[in-house]
Amino acid sequence: MHSAANAQGDLPAADAPTADAATADAAPTAAEDFDEQLDALSAETLRGRGGLKWAITQPGELAAWIAEMDVPMAPPISAALHRSIDDGAVGYLPPAAAEAFAGAVARFEAEKFGWNVDPDAVVPQADVLAALELAVRRLLPPGGKLILPTPAYMPFLSLPPLWGIEVLTVGLLPDPEASGGYRLDLDGIDAAFAAGGALLVLCNPYNPVGKVFGRGELAALTEVVDRHGGQVFADEIWAPLVYPGNSHVPYASTSAAAAEHTITAVSASKAWNLPGLKTAAAIVTGTAGRAAVGELGDFAAHGAALPGLVANTAAFNQGGPWLRHTLRYLDGNRNLLAQRLAGLAGVGFRRPDATYLAWLDLRAFSAPDGTVRGTPIGAYLRERAGIVAVDGTDCGAPGFLRLNFAMPRPLLAELADRLATALDDLPRTA
Ligand SMILES: Cc1ncc(COP(=O)(O)O)c(C=O)c1O
């Protein structure tokens, strides 16, 4: 198989792609076409498209909240889905599709991050949160608590209590080696394990702060976890979206000890924008995880959708060229935002090393509880400027704002203008 994707150093497909997929892959959308298509999308067009991010907005508002992108679908994914729907492949999950998916995940991890994953360790899931539920329900001993570094992806804070699980939050600390960056509070995590914590959620790369963890920090974490016989849920859904100059290191790849106490979750849903297709993989590398999956039998993969597996397999096998276009475009947006925010006195911001989320420290404009004139700053910016973003309080950090910049660049420029005007109107509180 000699597709253009391979010629560009892309991943070889284990299951030989059909002629359609090879054709789609051989003609990736040219960079200019990709940019032009995306730049040309108006808010009205996006509102009419049906994705959740824009669907809840009113005319005049700009959607920068939930983690969806406005990019067009990758041609190899679209081709694979069309082919599979035309074949009527919408039944329960057949073993061949699960095997192709596991092979694609294993190959992607090996080629991209140097992590050799046994395809037998790859368990299809309905989504990453289903994998979290698997880890919580099966790895936590009775009464065991979840340890969660904060700020955090919002459902990590809100879902476990609904399952009857107590969450011990441990705030990130400023990183002395990266201005405006963060590091794990290892002493705080140690104390949380001592206080009954049994399963740590590690988001790597980190939503919302955009951090990519280095080997040293991960090794130090492994020591803490092992000291307490703890377990880790490593959420690596953002791993393909790392900007040049940074590298993702899968946590479970760092040592035998880390692999032994970890369930890793991966998916194509963020990087190729497929969250509605309900598919992720739990990579189960430890004894406890393997036993849990063994006990569950077929139910371990319950909820994973065949079309989602087809799309994820195409993404991991053939989505390289499209991912490069996306990352390049996002990098341009990241730089535009950094440039514009640098001119706004009082706004704390560090360019994320990964993800398309910007984490803005707006505490200089808000009260200690994160409000402005009695309204949470996120809601204030929506009312005042039509910017629909995530209020930091929902991530456990009042006075911050999580802003999704995966939108057409002209809309992002407009958003930056509106933010500047809205903040300009506010007295500084610090
Ligand atoms: C860190 C993180 N984990 C999980 C998810 C949700 O993934 P899924 O839809 O596969 O459950 C998201 C979505 O934004 C996320 O940012």
Side-chain angles (χ1 to χ4, degrees):
M1 201 241 330
H2 298 285
S3 70
N6 284 340
Q8 291 169 34
D10 213 56
L11 300 173
D15 53 330
T18 63
D20 276 3
T23 307
D25 203 30
T29 318
E32 316 79 63
D33 292 350
F34 186 94
D35 293 9
E36 243 172 59
Q37 263 188 56
L38 195 44
D39 281 351
L41 289 172
S42 68
E44 284 61 42
T45 305
L46 290 163
R47 241 184 298 282
R49 244 195 200 174
L52 176 59
K53 188 175 74 165
W54 285 93
I56 62 122
T57 62
Q58 299 298 318
E61 289 184 332
L62 295 170
W65 64 292
I66 200 168
E68 290 179 351
M69 294 192 280
D70 299 333
V71 294
M73 186 182 275
I77 298 177
S78 175
L81 279 171
H82 278 289
R83 201 166 52 246
S84 142
I85 298 296
D86 289 346
D87 288 348
V90 289
Y92 292 113
L93 194 57
E99 278 163 27
F101 170 68
V105 168
R107 198 167 32 262
F108 186 79
E109 292 295 328
E111 297 267 332
K112 193 109 177 138
F113 310 123
W115 182 24
N116 290 317
V117 171
D118 176 357
D120 286 344
V122 176
V123 185
Q125 300 289 295
D127 52 31
V128 166
L129 291 176
L132 174 68
E133 188 168 2
L134 172 88
V136 163
R137 291 208 191 278
R138 293 277 150 178
L139 298 186
L140 269 182
K145 298 168 191 167
L146 198 72
I147 303 174
L148 180 65
T150 54
Y153 170 54
M154 305 75 81
F156 290 158
L157 282 161
S158 54
L159 256 185
L162 297 174
W163 299 330
I165 304 299
E166 190 180 333
V167 178
L168 302 176
T169 57
V170 181
L172 292 177
L173 297 174
D175 185 349
E177 285 170 26
S179 166
Y182 297 91
R183 65 178 171 85
L184 291 172
D185 177 359
L186 293 172
D187 291 338
I189 290 172
D190 191 58
F193 273 114
L199 175 66
L200 172 90
V201 176
L202 175 70
C203 190
N204 175 31
Y206 198 117
N207 168 4
V209 305
K211 175 184 169 87
V212 172
F213 285 88
R215 287 181 187 277
E217 196 168 2
L218 294 177
L221 177 65
T222 300
E223 259 186 60
V224 175
V225 175
D226 256 7
R227 197 179 307 146
H228 296 277
Q231 300 279 332
V232 170
F233 177 73
D235 179 344
E236 303 191 354
I237 193 170
W238 288 98
L241 288 176
V242 171
Y243 296 105
N246 304 282
S247 324
H248 168 68
V249 179
Y251 175 65
S253 77
T254 53
S255 64
E260 174 56 24
H261 61 219
T262 299
I263 288 182
T264 304
V266 301
S267 173
S269 74
K270 289 299 129 198
W272 286 272
N273 206 38
L274 308 167
L277 286 168
K278 306 316 294 173
T279 297
I283 305 177
V284 181
T285 45
T287 312
R290 268 197 301 273
V293 167
E295 273 170 31
L296 285 167
D298 288 347
F299 290 116
H302 188 72
L306 175 53
L309 263 82
V310 167
N312 270 249
T313 303
F316 286 129
N317 279 342
Q318 301 168 270
W322 184 94
L323 182 63
R324 279 193 286 278
H325 289 316
T326 304
L327 259 176
R328 186 186 38 74
Y329 192 93
L330 292 176
D331 199 11
N333 278 9
R334 180 178 76 129
N335 291 334
L336 172 88
L337 202 55
Q339 214 173 27
R340 302 293 284 270
L341 293 176
L344 299 184
V347 176
F349 175 67
R350 179 177 196 274
R351 274 188 346 151
D353 294 332
T355 83
Y356 48 75
L357 305 170
W359 183 240
L360 274 56
D361 182 351
L362 301 179
R363 286 176 298 175
F365 303 92
S366 61
D369 65 355
T371 59
V372 171
R373 297 174 184 151
T375 307
I377 194 157
Y380 176 84
L381 289 170
R382 181 172 189 173
E383 268 166 36
R384 185 80 186 184
I387 296 171
V388 187
V390 175
D391 191 288
T393 306
D394 296 339
C395 302
F400 287 76
L401 191 76
R402 195 194 80 166
L403 209 140
N404 171 350
F405 57 81
M407 64 174 67
R409 200 162 300 151
L411 296 184
L412 185 65
E414 159 87 25
L415 184 151
D417 286 346
R418 292 189 192 186
L419 186 65
T421 307
L423 293 179
D424 213 31
D425 278 354
L426 286 177
R428 299 287 157 70
T429 56

